[in-house]
Amino acid sequence: MNVTFSLDSDSDPTVWPAMPVLGEGRGAARERKKWARRTSDLLWALVDDEPVDKKQVKMLAFELDSAAELIPRTIPVHQIFLYVPDPRREFLTFLVHAGPSEGDVESKLDELVQKDEPGAAQEPEVVDFDTERLGRGKRSIRFFVAAKAGAMCCSVNYAWRIESLGIDVIVRTVGEDIGWITANIDEFDDFARSLFVNLDT
């Protein structure tokens, strides 16, 4: 499916920066590195309560560049947002994917937020998550053991059916720091409510 729109947000871009989704080749690699350096410089410049070590700036730039290169290669994704409230801790990636609307809305949204996905450590917490901007949706919090990491992980999954465009949209993050993720659900919900469709893309 050709996606001819993007999701934008009016959340603080220094906390929720967008990560570029680029292709292969030297040009794309240069753009990723340039973006990663600029973003790391900006995020560390906002830390004013302690001296900033240049090695920390370089390390974050490396991690951003690596994620920007790896994610589009391994996961179907149209957009990526980051949650970086503090560059001293690991950032979270929020992946956006859109596809054509299919089937009953309730069943499809349950599927997209992985309500009955095998492997959950307990039944996921699924709630209705309608927003003024994106319409009818659901949100789930799901705990599972990641096969590769061999560790307990938490995913937070949002899905909406945007009737006017005939598409279903997913926004998902996954991480191992369960305490930190669950402590920030309100922040994630506020970000999800801030998303809106930009048809000018």
Side-chain angles (χ1 to χ4, degrees):
M1 174 190 177
N2 251 347
V3 176
T4 57
F5 76 99
S6 70
L7 289 184
D8 282 348
S9 167
D10 47 25
S11 292
D12 184 347
T14 65
V15 177
W16 292 96
M19 174 181 278
V21 179
L22 302 170
E24 304 291 332
R26 291 183 181 176
R30 280 196 299 270
E31 284 300 308
R32 275 193 299 268
K33 288 187 186 303
K34 190 188 301 181
W35 166 81
R37 283 196 303 269
R38 281 198 315 259
T39 302
S40 183
D41 286 343
L42 169 64
L43 293 172
W44 277 107
L46 297 172
V47 176
D48 57 7
D49 61 345
E50 62 182 56
V52 175
D53 185 338
K54 288 184 178 178
K55 289 181 181 177
Q56 292 174 299
V57 180
K58 287 183 178 178
M59 179 55 70
L60 179 58
F62 173 77
E63 290 168 353
L64 290 169
D65 180 41
S66 299
E69 180 183 15
L70 180 64
I71 291 172
R73 285 182 176 180
T74 56
I75 303 170
V77 64
H78 293 120
Q79 289 176 256
I80 305 169
F81 291 94
L82 304 177
Y83 179 57
V84 198
D86 186 336
R88 290 165 291 195
R89 67 175 307 139
E90 190 174 354
F91 57 83
L92 286 174
T93 55
F94 281 70
L95 311 182
V96 179
H97 182 78
S101 297
E102 295 176 345
D104 172 71
V105 62
E106 288 294 321
S107 301
K108 187 62 178 181
L109 291 177
D110 281 343
E111 176 189 332
L112 293 176
V113 299
Q114 300 184 329
K115 179 181 178 183
D116 299 312
E117 186 81 7
Q122 61 189 54
E123 188 175 343
E125 176 193 317
V126 180
V127 297
D128 289 336
F129 198 85
D130 300 352
T131 73
E132 201 173 309
R133 293 170 153 182
L134 295 183
R136 189 170 187 183
K138 292 195 176 189
R139 186 256 281 151
S140 76
I141 302 171
R142 182 173 179 269
F143 301 96
F144 65 100
V145 176
K148 287 184 181 177
M152 182 70 75
C153 293
C154 178
S155 68
V156 184
N157 312 279
Y158 300 87
W160 295 271
R161 172 157 292 181
I162 305 179
E163 301 279 4
S164 59
L165 298 176
I167 58 173
D168 295 328
V169 175
I170 314 161
V171 178
R172 174 173 295 133
T173 192
V174 178
E176 295 179 25
D177 193 341
I178 293 173
W180 188 57
I181 291 173
T182 54
N184 285 282
I185 295 295
D186 288 346
E187 297 291 325
F188 305 160
D189 285 355
D190 287 345
F191 170 70
R193 291 187 187 97
S194 79
L195 294 169
F196 61 94
V197 174
N198 180 358
L199 292 171
D200 296 331
T201 300

